[in-house]
Amino acid sequence: MTAPETGRGIGNGERAAEITTTFVGLPRDSFRILHVSTGNVCRSPITERLTRHAVQERLGVLGGGLIVESAGTWGHEGAPMEANAETVLTDFGADPAGFTGRELLDEHVIRADLVLTATRDHRAQVISMGHSAGLRTFTLKEFTRLVNAIDPATLPPLEDGVVTRARALVRAAAALRGWLLAPTVEADEVYDPYGAPLTFFRSIGDEIHQALDPVVTALTGVPARA
């Protein structure tokens, strides 16, 4: 989806998929992951729902305080997810039901502990909103590359809670950013499938799924099932 010239105000609207199950004995806390693309009807909904699905598969619960949501820099407020995006999620066994698009608001960035964007342009737009977002905003593929370079043994154990582990992961990734650059300009991009046939949507879904796998493994300390 090609965005018009920036200058239109970020619209209103709110939709967050809150994953509030906590582990026994741990304080009630949360860690909010915000996925960002352009229209919030293709890439970011796929990434949001695949993240939730993967966390639930690894932990057997809905995430120990993780909150996973998405928005668009030119979001289609109240719009349903694209039908091909729904099909991609169904292919992976994830649930597309109940999704509605929204435009990115300042409050979404303020509340987010980790912002993962589809492209470098989205990352720049999020950071330009301020709110000290630079150290917690990455493209999805950039974050994956950084996470792959982090020794899991240096992260807090799962017994300390997913929230504690997630915060440590973001700090470690931010510290590595200047030392581990992308091999090419395109390496950190997830291209827009809006208006494309299902085959292209599926290829983008595969890209997102592959990028998310090491991220969710690092967050949960649990690898994907063979």
Side-chain angles (χ1 to χ4, degrees):
M1 179 179 300
T2 302
E5 292 295 325
T6 56
R8 175 183 173 186
I10 301 297
N12 54 22
E14 176 73 16
R15 179 196 42 77
E18 299 216 3
I19 300 175
T20 56
T21 303
T22 55
F23 292 100
V24 175
L26 292 176
R28 192 172 186 83
D29 203 353
S30 66
F31 182 92
R32 190 178 295 262
I33 301 172
L34 175 66
H35 294 293
V36 175
S37 62
T38 302
N40 195 216
V41 290
C42 299
R43 288 168 291 182
S44 50
I46 290 172
T47 315
E48 173 196 318
R49 295 303 175 92
L50 284 181
T51 302
R52 275 198 269 163
H53 178 69
V55 169
Q56 186 169 11
E57 274 198 325
R58 309 294 174 90
L59 298 181
V61 296
L62 291 181
L66 292 182
I67 300 170
V68 186
E69 58 187 352
S70 63
T73 57
W74 201 260
H76 291 190
E77 187 69 38
M81 192 186 311
E82 284 289 296
N84 283 345
E86 291 189 350
T87 299
V88 167
L89 288 172
T90 302
D91 289 344
F92 284 106
D95 184 7
F99 182 89
T100 55
R102 65 179 186 174
E103 289 196 49
L104 184 66
L105 295 173
D106 287 276
E107 65 193 67
H108 303 147
V109 177
I110 291 168
R111 291 198 311 246
D113 297 287
L114 172 63
V115 184
L116 297 177
T117 70
T119 69
R120 292 170 298 130
D121 182 61
H122 297 131
R123 182 185 63 194
Q125 290 184 59
V126 171
I127 293 172
S128 74
M129 295 170 70
H131 315 303
S132 303
L135 291 177
R136 51 195 166 90
T137 303
F138 309 80
T139 74
L140 171 62
K141 288 185 175 180
E142 173 191 21
F143 194 67
T144 301
R145 183 175 69 253
L146 298 171
V147 163
N148 281 332
I150 296 169
D151 181 355
T154 65
L155 298 173
L158 186 58
E159 288 77 11
D160 289 351
V162 175
V163 170
T164 298
R165 187 179 176 94
R167 289 176 178 158
L169 183 67
V170 173
R171 289 193 299 270
L176 281 174
R177 181 163 19 207
W179 299 93
L180 194 61
L181 302 179
T184 66
V185 173
E186 294 79 18
D188 288 341
E189 304 284 289
V190 175
Y191 291 107
D192 194 350
Y194 185 75
L198 179 57
T199 52
F200 188 65
F201 265 84
R202 282 182 164 141
S203 71
I204 294 299
D206 287 338
E207 278 187 44
I208 292 171
H209 182 262
Q210 290 171 22
L212 280 174
D213 179 68
V215 172
V216 176
T217 296
L219 282 171
T220 64
V222 181
R225 298 173 185 170

